[in-house]
Structure formats: C-alpha cells, structure tokens
Amino acid sequence: MARIVIDPVTRIEGHLRIEAQVEGGAVADAWSSGTMFRGIELILQGRDPREAWIWTQRICGVCTTVHALTSVRAVEDALGIEVPDNARLIRNIIGSTQTIQDHVIHFYHLHALDWVDVTLALKADPGKTSQLAESISAWPKSSRVYFKMIQDRVKALVASKQLSLFSSGYWGHPAYKLPPEANLLAVAHYIEALEFQREFIRIHAVLGGKNPHLQTYLVGGMSTAMDPNEPHAPINPERIEFVREAAKAAQAFVEQVYIPDVLAVAGFYREWFHYGEGLGNFLAYGEYPMHGVKDDKSFFLPRGVILNRDLSTVHPMDPKNVSEYVTHSWYDYTGGNGAAKNPAEGETRPNYTGPKPPYEQLNVAEKYSWLKAPRYQDQAMEVGPLSRMLVAYAAGHAQVRELVNGVLAKLNAPATALFSTLGRIAARAIETQLLARELPKWIDELDHNLMHGNLRVHNGERWDPATWPKNAQGWGFHEAPRGALGHWVEIEDRKIKNYQCVVPSTWNAGPRDAKGQRGAYEAALLKTPVADPERPVELLRTIHSFDPCLACAVHVTDARGHRHAEVLAR
Amino acid sequence: MARDLSFIGRPHEYEPRRVFSLTGADWQDRVNFDRLRKERLARAKEQMEIHDLGDEGHRKGWCLYKMGCKGPVGTFNCPNARWNDQTSWPVKAGHGCLACASPRFWDTKSPFYERLPSVPGFGVDVTAGEIGLVLTGAVAGATIVHGIASAVRDRRRGSAAPPPETPSSEKTTSGKP
C-alpha cells in the first residue's frame, strides 16, 4: 500500500495536487486538491457590473475569453438585455476559435507526451515515418527529408543536454507503446501545432483586439463596430477575409493532422477505453446560440444532463439545481458547512484549516481543497468535451452522431467505450472537427450582415445605470473548452452585491461533498493501474484527459513520505 | 512679437516634444501654429464628441476618451507593437484602453467606463479634464505620459508664472526707458 502524491500536476493550468492510494498495482482511492485560492469574487463586490467581465476574464489566461463571455451574459440576463445578431455571431466565432485552439494545444502540448516517448523518436527511420504519415493523411509535410530534419533537431536538443520543454517526461516507461516512427511523427506535429495555434489565434486579435484577454466585450453586445466602406472600422471586408482564411487553415490542420494523429495514437492504446471512466453523469449547459441565448432549443450544441451512463434520456438542465458544498473545502458557509448552497445565494468566505506547507499529506477526512464541490441535484457531474458530445449524441444531433460513429467504427469500439480516458480524447478531437466545420458558416453569416447593411453590434438601451432596477439577479453560461461554466451575479444599487463563478475544473477537480461522494477526477482515477509508483504516468494520462485548467515540478513521494523523484518541468 | 523659431533646422533632440515637418508649413504664412492648432483642435473636439458605441464615429475609429478610454495615461507600447504578430490592439478593435500594463491598474484605472477619475503622477490638483484639453490641443501621441505630463506642467507654469521667454523680453523693454 502506497500513497502517491503528485503536486503540482504539470502541463496544466493552475495548481493541482493529486493524492492516490495504490493497492495491488492499482488505485484504490484518490483525492484531488486545488492548492491555490482564487478570490476574484471578492474583488468584484462593489464594482460596476458592466466591467465585471474585465475582472473575471483575468481568472485565467489559458482558456482566455471564456469568463468574459459568461460574465456579460450573466449581467445581460440580470438586466434583461438582448444582444444584436452580429454580437451573437462574433461571440460564437470567438468562442469556437478558443475551443479549437485550446483543444489542439491540449492534445499536442499538454497531453501527447503522456503517450509519446520523445526519446524514441531518435530511433525512427525517417523514410518509414514518411510512409506512415502518407498512409494516414494527405497533409503535405510528410517527406523523408522533412522528418529527417525534425529528427536532427531533436538529436541536437538531446545532445545539448538541455531538453527544455521535453525535460520532465517519464521517458523509457514501459507504458509507452508507440513504435519509433509514430513517435517521430507526433514530435513533428507537436512543433507544427505550436506554429498553427499562434497563427490561428490572430482571429482573436481581429475580433477581440488581442489574445489573451480579449477586450471587445460590452454588456449589450460587442465594441467591434462594423462598416463595409470604412478602412479603419474594426470589422470590414478585409478583416472578414483575414478571419475566413485563418478558419480555412484551421479546418485543414484539424482534419489532416489532429484527427489522423488521434486515431493513430488511440489504435496503440486501446486498453485505455477501459480505464478512467469516472462518474457516468454528464452535464452540458449547451453553447453557440443560433438565435438568442434564451432560446436554448436553438443551441448548436444542446443543453442537458445524462445520468448513470444512460444515453437514451437527456434530462433538462435548470441552473436552480446547481449547488456547491464546502464540507471538504477551505471555506465557511453561514448556517453550517453541511448543506449546499445555490450559487445565487453563494458565499466566498475563505478559512484555511489545512497543514502548514511544506507538508507530506493532506488531512482528507477534513477540508482539503480550495475548490468547492459543485453538484447537480446533489449528484457529482463530469463536464467537458465528452459531456457535450454525449449530450449531443443522445439528443440525436445529426453531425455529432455521424462524426462519433465514424470514429468508433475506425477504432472498432462500441459507444460505451466513450466512457473512458481515451473516450475523452476522442470526444475532444471530434468536437474540434465539428467546430472547425461550423466556424466558416458563422463568418459567412457575419459577412452577409456586413454587406447588407445590418451593422448593429451593441444594444445601448440599458447602458446607462440610471435605467437599471434597484435589485437584479442573473445567470450567465458558456461551454468553455474544459466544460460547463456558469456565473451568478446579484446587482444592488448599480453595484455588484454578490458574484459567484462555478467553473469547469471545479466540477471535475472538486473534492468530496457532505455525503462523501467523489468528484470526477477522484472517481476516474479508481482502478487505474500503476506499474511504477515512482513514475505514475498512468495517473497523469487520466487526469490530463480532463484537460485541467502551469508547469513547475513533479514531486513524487512514497508511503513514508520520502521524496523519490523530483523532476523540474521548466 | 517675433516668435522664437530658432528650433527650425536644428536637430530634433533640442525639442523632442515638438514634431516638425512640411505639414507645419504654409506657402503664405510659413508656419502658422495658431491656425494649425485651431483646426486640429476643432477636429479633435468634434471626434471626441462620439456619443454612442456603434455610431458613425465609433465605426471610423475616433477617440474613445469619453467612453472611459485610459489610453492617455497608459504606459505600454500597445499601439506600436500591437498584439499577436502585429495584428491589432484593443482601441483598433473599438474598445477603450484599460491601461492594463500600468502598475496597479486595477485600483487606479477603474471604473473603466467613466472618464479618468484622478490621475496619479500629475499632482493632486490636475483633473482628467485638463489633461484631456491639453491632449486635444496637442493631438499628442496618446500613450506618451511624459509628453502629457510636461505639457500640463508647462500650461500650469504659464498661468502661475510667466513663461521663460516673456521675462527676458520684459527685461529688454523695461530696461530701455
């Protein structure tokens, strides 16, 4: 029996600690702890609700923009503001662009090295790698000379003894199963994906002024004025063409690089269709309104809840059923920590009772995380691309069904295989492909409006705080790359009285609740095999498959608390 | 009264705050700064009258100062460097600057949708309106804080004590009789 501690988990955003009890070569129990306090909610109190999005957006710069969008929607909901059609389209374009970029970065830069052994790429035959590449995709960068060049670059890196971003891997671990050629191919695409994501995100610079932290949201719409005849207008035909070209390039990259790579890697790791399932409960707020945000039936990706792996029923989603526990979180609720609170009445009163760092182990019987434990109808939920794709699949979304069935057929796996670590990776890739196909349509619609004189981007009827009611409450939602994101706002006397954010990684990485129910990470780690407790790459595979929302060091300690290995990642 | 035009033809370093070029020349008047100032001031004032987000002025990319833009006190090279491989920056995309690279911008630049409330570094009695006035008069590079600060300082010195060249001319006139 050994307690494995990974703190911090690297190749993620934020500060995450995983403690796992290993018995008989597999995980018997696990605890997930967020070791950083956020506190943006407290900073917001007393501020102008029109600028809440500027603050919330700074919660994180990796999946940037998502908190901004959710926040303006919450304030618009509270004040009863409808945004013009152009604002809806621009927000859809910004949101889907973020998701596509984030998913590509996640697969290649945050997750691939759990499956790809970079050092093995040195043993590959560039000629055979070229044959492999051409057998799975029509992507033009596939010559023997090209892969030889990539291999020489990796050789030079290894010879320099400064592995840089490849320095923290568990290289040589028996769980790595790809042949050398596939490793070289993946390393080449790792480098190409860096370039791709940099070019692609320029869409955000056009529509948002910059990335990260886009700056064109307004309560009531967007600030990107449109004019077909004005060279200095933020959106004009030249800018539309720029965005369209970038979207086209993304579609090519996703369909010719990302998807074939996922299929190729998955083929070597089929046993991961059986590990990492987790809760079996899935929640999606839905996203990409085709009309207004109130008309949730029109959403491109549907809203709904799936319980107990039952894909025959999609339960309706009501934000009133969302609540948060602090029983095992370093917070206090007025009225006791045993009961959950809906975020509309939520509180953020930090009370750290954990051990003084440096410590060996958290007291998991008491409070052990800075994350609250969100529940839907008192049940723990998984959120993310898998939840979205499952809800869409179960709701009969034609495009999703076609893509999911296509991938399952190629991997020769049943639909139930989706409830797994590999299922999460596949769902993320499928979603990327889906959005890469949909993105050009929203750009065309925006172009159509621009050329036909529909230039309204902002509804200013309620811009002046004098027009607001004394009290107002609202809820805003968004499907961020990592899952269902909700903001709850209460406005009193034109100021923010209370603000609560329930974010995707709180759903997934949250601790246990009052009833002792595990969060999604904690449940997914159960039964995961661990071949070598000093190098728990298997745990990282499942945790990373959720795409936890910085990278410093991996500390591994054994049951007696002795540090076995410390690997600096950057 | 003859103007001190000695700076013309001298290297730029002598007067870094002024910008000289053929645009300041006129075939009749040579350099008529008064006229230039008036015309530019009128244009800038008109542009600052942008009254609503999404109107014609907003589409043409006019000044967002009244909408709460913090560009005049920003301390970063955003407009020149621009973001994401020189693609754009917030003001080009139609939203006011937050001066988000300035020290403690969260306390000193918020509320973001109201005109600059109080501007640190200019002295307590300088209001944002005054800075705005000098700004429009000079149509200065919006992000050069030093330029604005010294412009405000010069103006205030001018009202409190006579400018440097005036005492010398007064001395010669008062010294003659």
Side-chain angles (χ1 to χ4, degrees), chain A residues 51 55 202 211 215 223 226, chain B residues 59 84 87 95-96 110 112:
Chain A
E51 61 179 60
W55 300 95
R202 292 174 76 189
N211 175 292
Q215 203 170 309
S223 77
M226 298 168 56
Chain B
R59 293 203 292 274
N84 306 94
T87 309
H95 194 282
S110 167
F112 296 125

Side-chain angles (χ1 to χ4, degrees), chain B residues 23-40:
Chain B
T23 47
D26 182 291
W27 299 117
Q28 269 75 43
D29 296 354
R30 299 298 177 213
V31 184
N32 185 339
F33 283 105
D34 268 350
R35 178 177 66 75
L36 290 173
R37 195 184 133 271
K38 250 185 251 168
E39 286 174 0
R40 290 180 187 177

Side-chain angles (χ1 to χ4, degrees), chain A residues 198-416:
Chain A
R198 193 193 71 213
E199 271 303 307
F200 179 58
I201 209 60
R202 292 174 76 189
I203 293 178
H204 274 186
V206 171
L207 298 176
K210 65 191 180 81
N211 175 292
H213 301 325
L214 282 71
Q215 203 170 309
T216 53
Y217 290 97
L218 293 168
V219 165
M222 300 295 289
S223 77
T224 44
M226 298 168 56
D227 195 319
N229 305 313
E230 180 53 61
H232 295 294
I235 296 180
N236 60 33
E238 182 270 326
R239 299 270 92 180
I240 292 273
E241 209 47 46
F242 182 97
V243 172
R244 190 177 276 142
E245 287 301 314
K248 214 185 274 177
Q251 201 176 347
F253 187 86
V254 170
E255 300 206 348
Q256 294 180 31
V257 183
Y258 183 19
I259 297 286
D261 283 0
V262 170
L263 292 172
V265 171
F268 288 97
Y269 291 103
R270 299 180 47 89
E271 71 276 17
W272 285 87
F273 275 131
H274 305 290
Y275 301 129
E277 169 178 347
L279 298 162
N281 298 333
F282 301 92
L283 167 75
Y285 289 156
E287 187 48 281
Y288 309 114
M290 305 308 256
H291 303 293
V293 286
K294 295 280 180 205
D295 183 8
D296 59 83
K297 295 276 174 282
S298 80
F299 289 0
F300 177 61
L301 294 176
R303 175 176 286 182
V305 178
I306 288 174
L307 296 171
N308 302 319
R309 324 170 84 191
D310 178 11
L311 291 178
S312 67
T313 317
V314 179
H315 302 272
M317 201 293 302
D318 186 338
K320 289 194 177 65
N321 294 331
V322 174
S323 62
E324 288 189 302
Y325 282 97
V326 293
T327 319
H328 288 280
S329 318
W330 289 310
Y331 299 93
D332 278 335
Y333 274 170
T334 41
N337 296 333
K341 275 184 197 288
N342 181 268
E345 284 91 42
E347 290 178 295
T348 306
R349 290 200 298 131
N351 176 20
Y352 183 73
T353 56
K356 190 171 180 277
Y359 51 83
E360 300 294 349
Q361 216 168 295
L362 289 163
N363 180 5
V364 293
E366 300 289 328
K367 294 174 183 280
Y368 65 93
S369 178
W370 278 116
L371 306 180
K372 295 177 181 175
R375 295 293 181 259
Y376 186 80
Q377 287 177 330
D378 244 15
Q379 297 200 63
M381 294 281 153
E382 176 177 338
V383 300
L386 178 59
S387 298
R388 290 192 285 262
M389 292 302 102
L390 286 175
V391 168
Y393 188 87
H397 193 292
Q399 290 154 280
V400 172
R401 285 195 89 98
E402 182 202 324
L403 286 172
V404 170
N405 290 336
V407 167
L408 289 173
K410 277 183 195 141
L411 291 171
N412 193 19
T416 50

Side-chain angles (χ1 to χ4, degrees), chain B residues 35-89:
Chain B
R35 178 177 66 75
L36 290 173
R37 195 184 133 271
K38 250 185 251 168
E39 286 174 0
R40 290 180 187 177
L41 179 63
R43 193 163 65 222
K45 271 186 169 165
E46 189 192 329
Q47 293 187 353
M48 281 180 69
E49 285 305 324
I50 174 171
H51 60 275
D52 200 4
L53 294 159
D55 70 359
E56 190 198 348
H58 189 206
R59 293 203 292 274
K60 289 189 167 156
W62 288 353
C63 183
L64 296 162
Y65 175 68
K66 281 197 171 172
M67 311 306 299
C69 178
K70 304 295 182 285
V73 294
T75 52
F76 194 56
N77 61 352
C78 220
N80 294 331
R82 290 163 291 156
W83 285 78
N84 306 94
D85 293 341
Q86 299 85 46
T87 309
S88 188
W89 65 295

Side-chain angles (χ1 to χ4, degrees), chain B residues 103-122:
Chain B
R104 291 177 284 118
F105 84 98
W106 49 87
D107 286 332
T108 57
K109 306 300 183 292
S110 167
F112 296 125
Y113 291 111
E114 282 170 30
R115 257 202 269 182
L116 285 163
S118 63
V119 186
F122 288 94

